[in-house]
């Protein structure tokens, strides 16, 4: 087999891509996911990475993508590589370009990257920068046959105390919340300890859909006048002092989510990332987006609805798949953390992209 994705050398990538795209697969029968017993049993095969993070909607993703030989797919949110592995194992002659803004995932997924080094390129980048990242790696002329987005934070990030994503008291950590800890962007500590009452309330409301913002913001300002609010448990205690139980439980979750989303500019990431997907996808190729709460899902829903109903629609809904899709009973048993997940999908048409006009 010609090694398409052997390393990140740009010139080598171009040569190998040109070679592989000239291959003739006319005598090879593409695999149909519905007829592939191994694929249907994929969730029953536990990989080491599943102990850290299980890929949500893995069966539905593979059925919709239906990976084919000589096709290239984008995993816009690589993480622990569960979806990427599924794609590459479903079809032995397809390829994946995977993006992630968190550089630590590439260290953690070395075995997977080594196993599929001939068919996988990983790029440390936000998915809002996919087009420029592809160009920088001389991959911008490749035809993309499907794109998958899995928004939000991964299990390993939540469960790693020093990332500051978790509000569990046993996972106390610094108020960081950056997806990329090597970046110079502001942290949750900066937000909590320097932002005005109005700005804090706006963040909690618009990113977390939290209604009880005044008491929380006032208590934050009062506490930080005494000493800096340094860690996650400090913030939890402030919210607990501001909101009575059991209401405090959901409020804590919303406040943490809002800070994470603000720090990482997640809503803008989704908007720009979706428009780049529209520009990159080949006709008749699927876009899949997995969301975990209403704010993310609303953006995806509005994007697909708008682009499927304009005069020259760039997306159409597949009659074979009801959208949105929710976790099955079997998936919930296998992965309880998938409970709030929502999958939406649509197919790219042959009309020219119009993403520059997308506004919400």
């Amino acid at each position: 087999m010609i090694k398409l994705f052997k390393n990140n050398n740009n010139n080598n990538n171009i040569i190998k891509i040109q070679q592989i795209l000239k291959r003739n697969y006319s005598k090879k029968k593409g695999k149909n996911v519905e007829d592939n017993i191994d694929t249907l049993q994929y969730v029953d095969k536990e990989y080491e990475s599943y102990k850290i993070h299980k890929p949500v909607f893995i069966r539905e993703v593979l059925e919709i993508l239906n990976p084919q030989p000589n096709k290239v797919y984008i995993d816009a949110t690589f993480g622990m590589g569960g979806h990427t592995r599924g794609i590459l194992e479903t079809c032995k002659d397809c390829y994946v370009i995977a993006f992630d803004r968190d550089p630590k995932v590439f260290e953690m997924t070395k075995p997977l990257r080594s196993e599929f080094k001939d068919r996988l390129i990983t790029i440390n980048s936000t998915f809002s920068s996919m087009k420029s990242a592809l160009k920088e790696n001389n991959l911008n002329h490749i035809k993309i046959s499907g794109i998958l987005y899995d928004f939000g934070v991964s299990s390993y990030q939540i469960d790693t105390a020093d990332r500051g994503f978790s509000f569990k008291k046993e996972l106390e950590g610094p108020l960081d919340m950056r997806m990329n800890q090597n970046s110079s962007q502001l942290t949750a500590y900066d937000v909590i300890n320097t932002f005005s009452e109005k700005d804090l309330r706006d963040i909690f409301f618009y990113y977390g859909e939290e209604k009880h913002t005044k008491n929380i913001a006032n208590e934050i300002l009062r506490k930080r006048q005494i000493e800096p609010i340094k860690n996650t448990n400090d913030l939890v205690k402030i919210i607990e002092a501001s909101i009575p139980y059991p209401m405090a439980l959901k409020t804590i979750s919303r406040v943490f989510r809002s800070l994470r989303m603000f720090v990482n500019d997640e809503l803008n990431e989704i908007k720009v990332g979706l428009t780049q997907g529209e520009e990159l996808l080949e006709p008749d190729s699927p876009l899949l987006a997995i969301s975990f709460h209403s704010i993310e899902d609303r953006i995806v829903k509005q994007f697909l609805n708008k682009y499927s109903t304009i005069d020259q629609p760039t997306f159409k809904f597949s009659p074979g798949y009801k959208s949105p899709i929710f976790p099955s009973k079997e998936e919930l048993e296998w992965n309880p953390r998938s409970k709030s997940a929502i999958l939406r999908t649509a197919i790219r048409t042959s009309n020219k992209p119009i993403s520059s006009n997308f506004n919400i």
Side-chain angles (χ1 to χ4, degrees):
M1 180 181 292
I2 298 174
K3 295 181 178 181
L4 172 60
F5 293 161
K6 184 175 181 180
N7 54 45
N8 285 328
N9 182 277
N10 291 344
N11 293 329
N12 286 346
N13 281 340
I14 295 173
I15 294 171
K16 295 184 178 83
I17 289 163
Q18 291 172 340
Q19 289 175 329
I20 196 64
L21 294 182
K22 290 179 180 178
R23 291 173 67 177
N24 184 359
Y25 283 91
S26 59
K27 296 181 180 180
K28 297 182 74 173
K29 183 180 179 181
K31 295 181 180 179
N32 189 318
V33 174
E34 288 81 1
D35 299 328
N36 189 329
I37 296 176
D38 290 338
T39 299
L40 292 177
Q41 293 179 344
Y42 179 71
V43 293
D44 297 323
K45 187 175 181 180
E46 294 289 337
Y47 293 96
E48 191 67 24
S49 64
Y50 287 5
K51 296 178 181 178
I52 303 173
H53 181 78
K54 294 180 178 180
V56 177
F57 287 122
I58 183 62
R59 182 175 295 181
E60 291 82 356
V61 165
L62 297 181
E63 288 178 349
I64 295 169
L65 279 178
N66 193 17
Q68 297 294 312
N70 199 28
K71 300 295 184 181
V72 181
Y73 302 88
I74 285 180
D75 184 347
T77 45
F78 181 59
M80 295 305 297
H83 290 115
T84 287
R85 176 185 286 279
I87 295 168
L88 294 171
E89 290 200 346
T90 296
C91 178
K92 304 303 181 183
D93 294 307
C94 73
Y95 304 88
V96 171
I97 302 173
F99 295 85
D100 205 293
R101 70 195 300 184
D102 185 352
K104 293 186 178 180
V105 303
F106 302 115
E107 182 68 26
M108 299 177 70
T109 55
K110 272 187 175 180
L112 171 66
R113 295 167 64 214
S114 176
E115 180 180 353
F116 295 104
K117 63 181 182 295
D118 298 337
R119 297 193 288 132
L120 171 63
I121 282 181
T122 53
I123 300 175
N124 183 199
S125 169
T126 61
F127 54 75
S128 66
S129 302
M130 286 189 295
K131 284 185 64 180
S132 60
L134 289 171
K135 187 174 183 179
E136 289 171 5
N137 286 273
N138 288 324
L139 301 171
N140 52 310
H141 299 299
I142 294 183
K143 295 181 178 181
I144 304 301
S145 298
I147 294 182
L148 168 68
Y149 306 84
D150 184 2
F151 304 131
V153 64
S154 71
S155 294
Y156 107 82
Q157 289 169 325
I158 293 174
D159 295 336
T160 303
D162 66 6
R163 303 302 296 268
F165 290 117
S166 178
F167 50 80
K168 292 182 178 179
K169 294 183 179 180
E170 64 270 22
L171 290 174
E172 178 180 12
L175 283 170
D176 191 327
M177 299 195 190
R178 291 171 298 168
M179 294 289 191
N180 182 351
Q181 290 184 303
N182 296 334
S183 72
S184 59
Q185 70 191 77
L186 56 77
T187 65
Y189 174 91
D190 300 322
V191 176
I192 290 296
N193 286 283
T194 65
F195 278 34
S196 69
E197 176 193 342
K198 181 184 183 303
D199 289 341
L200 288 173
R201 293 185 64 184
D202 285 347
I203 291 170
F204 300 154
F205 180 77
Y206 290 111
Y207 290 86
E209 299 178 306
E210 173 57 43
K211 297 179 180 179
H212 307 90
T213 61
K214 185 175 180 61
N215 289 347
I216 300 169
N218 286 340
E219 184 65 9
I220 288 172
L221 265 62
R222 189 184 73 83
K223 285 287 187 180
R224 76 188 193 190
Q225 287 179 342
I226 301 172
E227 60 181 349
I229 302 165
K230 295 181 178 179
N231 59 54
T232 54
N233 279 359
D234 289 342
L235 182 56
V236 169
K237 290 175 183 176
I238 288 172
I239 300 170
E240 289 176 331
S242 307
I243 306 294
Y245 273 97
M247 192 186 305
L249 290 173
K250 289 186 176 181
T251 295
I252 292 169
S253 177
R254 293 188 191 111
V255 168
F256 270 70
R257 185 184 77 197
S258 66
L259 287 168
R260 186 204 81 214
M261 294 183 72
F262 178 80
V263 166
N264 295 288
D265 195 20
E266 291 183 32
L267 299 188
N268 190 57
E269 276 288 306
I270 294 172
K271 294 175 184 178
V272 178
L274 289 172
T275 62
Q276 297 216 350
E278 186 227 20
E279 296 179 60
L280 291 169
L281 276 173
E282 284 292 294
D284 297 319
S285 299
L287 178 148
L288 301 86
I290 300 173
S291 306
F292 286 86
H293 56 77
S294 60
I295 302 177
E296 295 172 341
D297 181 57
R298 190 179 304 126
I299 295 174
V300 178
K301 179 180 179 180
Q302 291 177 351
F303 175 83
L304 294 179
N305 284 346
K306 176 178 179 178
Y307 282 68
S308 63
T309 57
I310 54 178
D311 290 339
Q312 297 291 320
T314 54
F315 283 100
K316 60 183 178 181
F317 293 104
S318 171
Y321 298 98
K322 183 180 178 181
S323 186
I325 299 170
F326 301 96
S328 64
K329 179 181 178 182
E330 292 76 15
E331 176 162 14
L332 289 171
E333 291 176 354
W334 180 65
N335 182 14
R337 281 184 168 175
S338 68
K339 183 178 180 180
S340 60
I342 303 171
L343 170 62
R344 293 185 186 271
T345 182
I347 307 297
R348 184 70 169 85
T349 69
S350 59
N351 292 323
K352 292 182 179 179
I354 55 161
S355 288
S356 59
N357 297 324
F358 177 48
N359 291 302
I360 291 182

